[in-house]
């Protein structure tokens, strides 16, 4: 009887230790257990409605869409025109290096399933095109201002969604270094479910 009680107590302690050990694992190890061996990671840079607090961020948050892990803040190595355009106030990053500003956003590692969902949202490759580019990345907690970003950042490769073909007149639009749907521009983004399916907004920019 005493032997059985002692054995049960020992098993209970082992179970508690196992649970404790799991929670003490580094976050990246725990996260990797959620991935299958057949799900390589892809590093992406989001600068518009996919950022935290923006209208489409729920797509990244939804685990049904795949795996995503926030890595830090990012900034383009070269300037690009980040504009807001069309009747639906969509943020566009125009593939015109050297124009506009260094653009700030967020960096994520995502699996292939999530990447496909992002491609669907961005209508890659028929509208936006996903291009691999150099990017500066920095831990969020160390970025006190944009002024010291280069000092604390490191270089990485990421996928960025660009509008590669666009009307030249778009370069006359106001250009931003960082996007917010709540910005002083007052241009509220119209989500896809609320759009007129008969209206072709692409014709406004291409």
């Amino acid at each position: 009887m005493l032997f059985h009680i002692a054995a049960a107590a020992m098993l209970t302690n082992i179970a508690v230790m196992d649970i404790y050990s799991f929670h003490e694992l580094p976050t990246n190890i725990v996260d990797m257990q959620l991935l299958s061996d057949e799900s390589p990671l892809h590093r992406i840079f989001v600068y518009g409605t996919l950022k935290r607090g923006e209208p489409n961020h729920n797509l990244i948050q939804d685990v049904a869409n795949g795996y995503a892990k926030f890595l830090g803040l990012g900034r383009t190595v070269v300037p690009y025109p980040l504009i807001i355009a069309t009747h639906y106030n969509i943020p566009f990053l125009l593939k015109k290096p050297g124009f506009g500003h260094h653009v700030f956003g967020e960096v994520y590692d995502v699996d292939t399933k999530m990447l496909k969902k992002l491609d669907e949202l961005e209508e890659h490759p028929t509208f936006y095109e996903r291009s691999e580019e150099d990017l500066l990345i920095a831990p969020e907690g160390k970025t006190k201002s944009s002024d010291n970003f280069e000092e604390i950042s490191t270089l990485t490769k990421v996928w960025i969604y660009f509008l590669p073909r666009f009307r030249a007149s778009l370069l006359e639009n106001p250009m931003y270094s960082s996007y917010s749907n709540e910005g002083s521009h007052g241009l509220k983004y119209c989500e896809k479910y609320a759009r007129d399916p008969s209206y072709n907004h692409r014709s406004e920019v291409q």
Side-chain angles (χ1 to χ4, degrees):
M1 178 71 174
L2 290 175
F3 174 79
H4 290 160
I5 293 172
M10 184 178 295
L11 288 172
T12 302
N13 287 336
I14 291 172
V16 171
M17 288 175 63
D18 284 345
I19 294 171
Y20 178 79
S21 299
F22 176 81
H23 286 291
E24 286 298 304
L25 285 172
T27 304
N28 62 329
I29 295 177
V30 175
D31 287 339
M32 291 303 290
Q33 291 178 347
L34 302 177
L35 294 168
S36 72
D37 293 336
E38 299 177 355
S39 298
L41 291 179
H42 313 274
R43 188 157 294 181
I44 63 162
F45 173 65
V46 298
Y47 53 83
T49 63
L50 286 164
K51 295 192 302 182
R52 293 171 299 175
E54 302 299 340
N56 286 321
H57 183 66
N58 61 308
L59 186 149
I60 289 179
Q61 284 183 308
D62 190 348
V63 295
N65 292 329
Y67 171 88
K69 179 178 175 60
F70 174 77
L71 298 181
L73 302 180
R75 197 207 76 179
T76 59
V77 173
V78 298
Y80 289 102
L82 173 59
I83 67 164
I84 301 172
T86 80
H87 179 69
Y88 299 130
N89 296 324
I90 301 171
F92 293 97
L93 194 61
L94 307 181
K95 193 67 179 290
K96 187 76 172 176
F99 283 71
H101 307 282
H102 292 100
V103 176
F104 290 86
E106 298 174 353
V107 183
Y108 292 82
D109 273 348
V110 302
D111 65 4
T112 300
K113 183 178 179 181
M114 179 66 76
L115 188 66
K116 288 180 179 178
K117 287 291 183 181
L118 296 173
D119 285 349
E120 289 174 12
L121 175 73
E122 305 289 10
E123 300 175 60
H124 162 79
T126 60
F127 188 34
Y128 287 86
E129 283 185 5
R130 176 162 47 81
S131 174
E132 193 172 32
E133 307 288 340
D134 288 329
L135 187 89
L136 294 175
I137 181 174
E140 185 174 34
K142 294 185 179 180
T143 52
K144 296 179 181 179
S145 72
S146 59
D147 297 334
N148 72 330
F149 201 89
E150 288 190 6
E151 299 173 10
I152 61 172
S153 61
T154 56
L155 197 64
T156 188
K157 286 278 190 184
V158 296
W159 290 107
I160 304 178
Y161 291 95
F162 289 99
L163 188 66
R165 295 170 294 280
F166 53 87
R167 293 173 181 262
S169 59
L170 292 181
L171 294 173
E172 300 172 8
N173 285 33
M175 299 179 188
Y176 305 92
S177 60
S178 182
Y179 171 82
S180 171
N181 192 44
E182 302 296 329
S184 59
H185 50 72
L187 302 172
K188 292 286 188 178
Y189 173 77
C190 180
E191 297 188 49
K192 284 192 172 184
Y193 73 86
R195 298 177 190 175
D196 180 356
S198 66
Y199 180 71
N200 179 20
H201 65 277
R202 293 189 185 191
S203 63
E204 293 187 61
V205 294
Q206 291 182 325

